[in-house]
Amino acid sequence: MNIEELSGLPSGATRHFREEGIEELYPPQAEAVEAGATDGESLVAAVPTASGKTMIAALSMLSAIERGGKALYIVPLRALASEKKEEFEAYEEFGVTVGVTTGNYESTSDWLATKDIIVATSEKVDSLVRNGADWLSDLTCVVSDEVHLIDDRNRGPTLEVTLAKLRKLNPRMQLVALSATVGNADEIADWLDAALVDTDWRPIDLQMGVHYGNALNFDDGSTREVPVQGSEKQEAALVRDILQEGGSSLVFVNSRRNAEAAARRLGEVSSNELTPEEQTELAELADEIRDDSDTETSRDLADCVERGAAFHHAGLSSTQRSLVEDAFRDRLLKVISATPTLAAGVNTPARRVIVRDWRRFDPSAGGMAPLDVLEVHQMMGRAGRPGLDPYGEAVLLAKSHDESEELFDRYIWADPEPVRSKLAAEPALRTHVLATIASGFARTREELLEFLEATLYASQSSEAGRLETVTDTVLQYLESNDFIERDSEDDEGGEGNDGAFTSAADLADSGGRDESLEATSLGHTVSRLYLDPMSAAEIVHGLADAEERPTALGLYQLVSRTPDMYELYLRSGEDEQYGELYYEREAELLGDAPSEFEEERFEDWLSALKTGKLLEDWAAETDEEQLTDRYKIGPGDLRGKVDTAEWLLGAAESLAAEIDSEWTVAVREARARVEHGVGEELLELVSVGGVGRKRARRLYDAGIEEPADLRTADKGVVLSVLKGEKTAENILENAGREDPSMDGVEPKSPASSAGDATADSSERASDDGQPAAESGESDESQSSLGDF
């Protein structure tokens, strides 16, 4: 189908696509148009990566906008949201407006009401529904990217329930679900009342095979010689081979440590293929990575990048991940070794994809377990980019002939597993049941069950009564924690039902008597805050039981033991270390601690204590490098823990106000300290724009202790402390100084008394003897979390 044959698009859209080099639709795209994509018909497009799924979405959304509608594009990852927003912003040249929203779960993002296309994560859309965003009812087209992630145990239920709610809000809405090829695309299409486009067509050929010995054997029966030289690893030989013909490589491994080790080895291969110009560009890129975070992980990554290689995993900061992904797409970086997170939707194709590790540790299996076929196929689908690669190759590595045959049977010849709903897991259900009641989607038990019947889980369930049983268990939990109230609608005098459940059989026997459900004020707050009700219960009980003003550690450990915080796990020998800390500071911890004889619960308590101690150290201004080294985490992990703690403590502040707790101020202070990574005395200074944790400490030690001091302090002292005229001027202006100019000002050393303050702060800031305020201060260009 020629692009000129399309109708119903905004004026200028066809010209835009033609200028982008799109003259003719790919077969899956043409099939989607024939199935009604541009006519407002719902469809499921199950097609391989790089086969034009985004164009199917674009045609659907643009045609909906031309009909006077509004479109929502749901993505699984924030990074993907930014990528798609940038892609769709090109449509602004012909009058289509675009907005993106991913954070702030309490916001309704009303400004998006004026946008034609909105890009958001499934969690953000769920929170918008909970908070009653009015513009959601204006949606006429919703695109769900990577819809097979409904199968994900952690995030899948949110996507599933969100799609069900949007369909209930907008019964005539067009829903376009995009997916990699899955084993039951027809079942998903039936659930969504959608047409199905299911194909394995790709714009360039993808060969899948297994490397064993010195040979790469493909699924079409062909063989390619890729000899392993001397003691080199198989993946090194495969990377070297493809680099010599101008291609790039992605190597998937099963752990962060393996990703970093592989990148160091593969850098020895890629460095031999760099031009002088590339070496210069890579050196500049490495400096950007070092500037982002002064940690060992950052330095290791930068060292690899200088040699044309990189590693990619969740321990990197978002800035580092973006820098690596962009440089790889530009083919400046030649090889990335990555954990499977890179396969989850971000556009990073390579000519050759190498799946080195097809097993990973699975706690439920008690050891190493094979990856799912769908996950491996997601990785392999990254092979080959149209316009840059003449073909794509996806390779598994075998150590023996028998293993080679096993890999062909297990992955090369196998179909992906069917997508299965994970909604019936109680942690997911308690969250979404409360939200469904609080947002008014269900006002009775019968309405709740009717809504849940519209989910994928209900359509897949073969166990009669399972959903009803789990739902009743969840309702009992929510009621016992004062999140909802229940009453039998036919009870005389409104006496309620004393907590007894009404089964479907009871309803039938009683002539249809039902039970009303209403969220309490506390329940509404919990839903609006986007908290797991169990997290809220933990926080509420911890605050309610506190007899004395909670300390920062007590509050940090409290939020760390909620289901919404991924706590640090205890490494070998740390149970004793944190057991001692527990006994030293037991009086500060909130709630009822388990007995040390309850081994599993006590270990969880200590893991939360370890996470809380990390947050306490951060709020005590301990240097970022010390923290990542002490807790054996990456800069991305640290930032993730800090961001989650800030969110949970903000929620705890709202909960404290809701239950009239006397500890609201203590919670607010703990939240502010973890947000900025500073001691209590610096909280006013870091409120000034441009003043982060390190600058605040230097200013304070120079006698400038609050924003008012910045308006009167000697400019020479300010300049000396802040080490830069432009920086000093910006901060003075932000503090409200009438004349912030530094023209003609000479740096002046602070009063000698500041030395005593520095000593005091150094002694307080770190419990390993290294002054937090001095570590990493020699280079002002180095920034860390909270610095700006």
Side-chain angles (χ1 to χ4, degrees), residues 722-738:
L722 296 179
K723 304 176 183 178
E725 288 187 10
K726 187 175 181 181
T727 298
E729 287 177 350
N730 286 339
I731 288 174
L732 290 181
E733 183 177 358
N734 292 336
R737 186 146 183 165
E738 289 186 7

Side-chain angles (χ1 to χ4, degrees), residues 56 129 136 163 176 203 227 232 247 254 290 338-339 341 371 380 424 449 532 537 609 639 643 704 731 788:
I56 294 173
V129 174
L136 288 174
L163 293 179
V176 179
E232 76 176 341
N254 60 10
R290 292 188 183 99
T339 54
T341 52
L371 299 177
M380 298 174 108
L449 290 171
D532 182 329
L609 178 57
R639 298 175 190 204
D643 288 346
I704 301 169
I731 288 174
F788 303 105

Side-chain angles (χ1 to χ4, degrees), residues 431-491:
T431 296
H432 293 294
V433 164
L434 176 59
T436 301
I437 296 169
S439 56
F441 273 87
R443 301 185 185 280
T444 67
R445 178 178 176 277
E446 187 175 22
E447 286 181 4
L448 176 61
L449 290 171
E450 182 182 340
F451 171 74
L452 293 173
E453 284 295 328
T455 62
L456 178 63
Y457 174 79
S459 70
Q460 291 182 330
S461 179
S462 58
E463 187 180 345
R466 162 72 175 160
L467 186 59
E468 187 175 352
T469 301
V470 177
T471 301
D472 281 339
T473 302
V474 167
L475 289 173
Q476 186 177 37
Y477 174 83
L478 295 175
E479 184 182 34
S480 66
N481 283 283
D482 298 322
F483 297 138
I484 66 168
E485 293 176 343
R486 299 190 295 175
D487 284 297
S488 174
E489 292 190 337
D490 269 11
D491 279 353

Side-chain angles (χ1 to χ4, degrees), residues 88-406:
F88 297 148
E89 279 179 336
Y91 305 157
E92 293 183 353
E93 69 180 50
F94 51 84
V96 173
T97 56
V98 180
V100 64
T101 179
T102 57
N104 190 358
Y105 289 136
E106 294 181 66
S107 165
T108 56
S109 301
D110 290 338
W111 63 276
L112 291 171
T114 62
K115 301 297 182 181
D116 297 316
I117 296 176
I118 296 118
V119 184
T121 60
S122 54
E123 287 81 7
K124 179 59 182 179
V125 179
D126 183 28
S127 76
L128 289 167
V129 174
R130 297 184 189 202
N131 285 279
D134 292 336
W135 56 265
L136 288 174
S137 59
D138 298 330
L139 294 173
T140 58
C141 177
V142 171
V143 177
S144 179
D145 201 357
E146 309 287 345
V147 76
H148 56 271
L149 291 176
I150 282 177
D151 194 79
D152 183 85
R153 186 168 299 279
N154 295 314
R155 307 185 70 184
T158 296
L159 176 57
E160 180 180 348
V161 169
T162 298
L163 293 179
K165 287 182 177 178
L166 289 175
R167 293 180 71 203
K168 185 171 182 180
L169 272 175
N170 307 288
R172 291 184 294 278
M173 174 188 80
Q174 177 187 21
L175 181 56
V176 179
L178 308 177
S179 173
T181 303
V182 295
N184 61 335
D186 55 340
E187 191 174 7
I188 296 174
D190 287 344
W191 168 52
L192 297 175
D193 300 316
L196 175 62
V197 176
D198 191 1
T199 177
D200 59 3
W201 184 90
R202 285 176 55 98
I204 59 174
D205 185 39
L206 172 63
Q207 289 185 296
M208 296 192 292
V210 177
H211 185 269
Y212 165 57
N214 292 320
L216 182 47
N217 300 301
F218 291 110
D219 51 350
D220 63 0
S222 62
T223 299
R224 175 172 177 162
E225 286 295 315
V226 183
V228 178
Q229 299 177 353
S231 61
E232 76 176 341
K233 303 282 188 180
Q234 284 174 280
E235 61 269 25
L238 288 160
V239 168
R240 173 174 44 77
D241 174 69
I242 208 72
L243 274 176
Q244 288 173 351
E245 66 168 54
S248 60
S249 300
L250 269 176
V251 181
F252 285 105
V253 298
N254 60 10
S255 71
R256 298 182 186 185
R257 183 178 298 176
N258 284 339
E260 295 177 12
R264 285 191 289 271
R265 289 194 302 269
L266 295 171
E268 298 174 9
V269 177
S270 57
S271 60
N272 296 324
E273 306 297 328
L274 301 175
T275 66
E277 293 79 10
E278 288 174 331
Q279 290 174 344
T280 300
E281 287 186 64
L282 287 168
E284 293 172 356
L285 177 62
D287 287 341
E288 283 190 71
I289 290 169
R290 292 188 183 99
D291 287 348
D292 176 66
S293 173
D294 185 18
T295 64
E296 184 178 358
T297 300
S298 300
R299 291 193 294 274
D300 288 347
L301 178 60
D303 291 346
C304 291
V305 163
E306 285 181 322
R307 301 169 69 82
F311 52 85
H312 187 291
H313 56 58
L316 301 183
S317 71
S318 57
T319 298
Q320 291 168 349
R321 290 197 297 270
S322 294
L323 289 171
V324 167
E325 291 161 13
D326 291 343
F328 187 71
R329 278 191 287 265
D330 294 339
R331 299 289 164 104
L332 178 60
L333 283 171
K334 308 304 179 185
V335 57
I336 294 178
S337 59
T339 54
T341 52
L342 189 61
V346 182
N347 180 26
T348 48
R351 186 170 300 179
R352 178 175 283 166
V353 168
I354 302 161
V355 182
R356 193 195 78 177
D357 299 334
W358 53 277
R359 295 186 184 94
R360 69 163 163 240
F361 181 75
D362 182 352
S364 64
M368 303 299 285
L371 299 177
D372 289 342
V373 177
L374 178 60
E375 188 170 5
V376 171
H377 282 199
Q378 279 285 97
M379 299 177 203
M380 298 174 108
R382 297 281 148 206
R385 181 200 282 185
L388 276 181
D389 298 313
Y391 61 88
E393 283 183 359
V395 185
L396 289 146
L397 307 185
K399 303 297 184 186
S400 67
H401 176 73
D402 287 346
E403 187 176 47
S404 177
E405 291 189 340
E406 179 187 357

Side-chain angles (χ1 to χ4, degrees), residues 385-602:
R385 181 200 282 185
L388 276 181
D389 298 313
Y391 61 88
E393 283 183 359
V395 185
L396 289 146
L397 307 185
K399 303 297 184 186
S400 67
H401 176 73
D402 287 346
E403 187 176 47
S404 177
E405 291 189 340
E406 179 187 357
L407 291 176
F408 268 100
D409 290 338
R410 181 184 290 276
Y411 295 115
I412 305 297
W413 307 126
D415 291 325
E417 299 84 1
V419 168
R420 305 294 301 177
S421 169
K422 302 298 189 291
L423 181 59
E426 198 171 309
L429 202 58
R430 66 176 175 247
T431 296
H432 293 294
V433 164
L434 176 59
T436 301
I437 296 169
S439 56
F441 273 87
R443 301 185 185 280
T444 67
R445 178 178 176 277
E446 187 175 22
E447 286 181 4
L448 176 61
L449 290 171
E450 182 182 340
F451 171 74
L452 293 173
E453 284 295 328
T455 62
L456 178 63
Y457 174 79
S459 70
Q460 291 182 330
S461 179
S462 58
E463 187 180 345
R466 162 72 175 160
L467 186 59
E468 187 175 352
T469 301
V470 177
T471 301
D472 281 339
T473 302
V474 167
L475 289 173
Q476 186 177 37
Y477 174 83
L478 295 175
E479 184 182 34
S480 66
N481 283 283
D482 298 322
F483 297 138
I484 66 168
E485 293 176 343
R486 299 190 295 175
D487 284 297
S488 174
E489 292 190 337
D490 269 11
D491 279 353
E492 293 184 12
E495 290 296 325
N497 65 352
D498 298 323
F501 293 124
T502 307
S503 70
D506 291 337
L507 278 171
D509 291 342
S510 63
R513 187 168 61 244
D514 195 9
E515 186 177 57
S516 68
L517 303 173
E518 184 177 357
T520 62
S521 177
L522 179 60
H524 277 289
T525 299
V526 172
S527 180
R528 175 177 55 80
L529 293 170
Y530 208 71
L531 281 176
D532 182 329
M534 187 171 283
S535 294
E538 190 78 39
I539 291 169
V540 166
H541 295 155
L543 292 175
D545 292 343
E547 297 179 358
E548 297 181 357
R549 190 181 199 271
T551 65
L553 177 66
L555 291 166
Y556 297 153
Q557 198 261 358
L558 174 63
V559 298
S560 294
R561 62 178 195 256
T562 66
D564 281 308
M565 173 71 84
Y566 289 97
E567 60 193 27
L568 299 172
Y569 68 89
L570 296 179
R571 297 176 179 272
S572 177
E574 286 188 340
D575 52 347
E576 184 175 342
Q577 175 187 347
Y578 287 98
E580 291 177 2
L581 181 65
Y582 164 66
Y583 290 116
E584 288 172 11
R585 305 186 66 175
E586 181 179 5
E588 297 181 54
L589 306 184
L590 305 175
D592 296 325
S595 162
E596 61 183 295
F597 299 107
E598 302 175 80
E599 291 186 11
E600 189 172 332
R601 287 189 63 219
F602 190 68

Side-chain angles (χ1 to χ4, degrees), residues 673-709:
R673 288 189 60 199
V674 84
E675 176 187 359
H676 298 289
V678 297
E680 179 184 355
E681 69 275 19
L682 299 187
L683 287 177
E684 289 192 55
L685 274 177
V686 292
S687 69
V688 177
V691 178
R693 64 200 305 248
K694 292 184 179 181
R695 289 172 180 164
R697 176 51 60 193
R698 291 201 300 269
L699 288 167
Y700 190 91
D701 291 346
I704 301 169
E705 300 181 357
E706 55 186 31
D709 294 339

